[in-house]
Amino acid sequence: MKKLILTFALLLVAQFGFSQAVDEAFKKDVLKVIERSGAGGQMASAKKQILSMIPEDKHAAFLVEFDALLPKVYEATASIYMEEYTKEDIKAMLAFYESPVGQKMAEKAEVISSKSQEAMSSLQGDMQAIVMKYMQ
């Protein structure tokens, strides 16, 4: 009986250890997708926009804190991806981002993000007018 319990316990431990290793590999792939998708470019665009609102003498301190926060942002994003996508989805995304078009998307992410923010800023007044119209 002891052998049966010990064998069962060892199987559970082995299964738990294997599933953690698989999840770490999945997380690693998810982080690659996030990196290759151009998320860094989008964050750089956001950083520039925020930086323009901060006094110049505080830029260096802000950049240190902002850059220190980025790993937490990517970890949180990875958790969301792992909830919403399967391992197969992530493998397919990696294959896409390794293609020429995927690489171009990643390269252009900062420019696209910046231009999109500019476009949204110009439309903000129009959006505000619509909201005000229906709030009354």
Side-chain angles (χ1 to χ4, degrees), residues 11-129:
L11 284 173
L12 285 176
V13 168
Q15 180 64 28
F16 180 71
F18 181 72
S19 68
Q20 281 187 327
V22 171
D23 288 344
E24 284 302 313
F26 181 38
K27 185 176 182 179
K28 187 177 178 182
D29 283 346
V30 168
L31 289 169
K32 280 184 196 175
V33 165
I34 293 167
E35 173 196 339
R36 292 185 181 158
S37 70
Q42 294 167 349
M43 292 304 290
S45 177
K47 184 185 342 185
K48 285 179 187 175
Q49 185 177 12
I50 296 167
L51 202 57
S52 70
M53 297 182 268
I54 295 174
E56 201 167 319
D57 63 323
K58 296 181 182 178
H59 281 195
F62 166 76
L63 291 172
V64 168
E65 290 189 45
F66 185 91
D67 290 342
L69 187 61
L70 289 179
K72 291 180 183 177
V73 170
Y74 296 135
E75 286 288 324
T77 304
S79 294
I80 295 166
Y81 274 50
M82 291 171 74
E83 290 173 12
E84 298 298 325
Y85 296 115
T86 65
K87 293 173 186 173
E88 292 76 22
D89 293 336
I90 295 298
K91 293 286 184 192
M93 288 179 205
L94 276 174
F96 170 74
Y97 285 120
E98 290 172 355
S99 74
V101 173
Q103 290 174 0
K104 185 174 183 177
M105 279 184 68
E107 290 168 9
K108 299 288 184 179
E110 184 176 352
V111 172
I112 298 294
S113 179
S114 182
K115 287 182 177 182
S116 294
Q117 288 171 359
E118 290 172 17
M120 288 300 124
S121 292
S122 69
L123 296 173
Q124 191 172 4
D126 296 339
M127 182 61 74
Q128 189 173 11

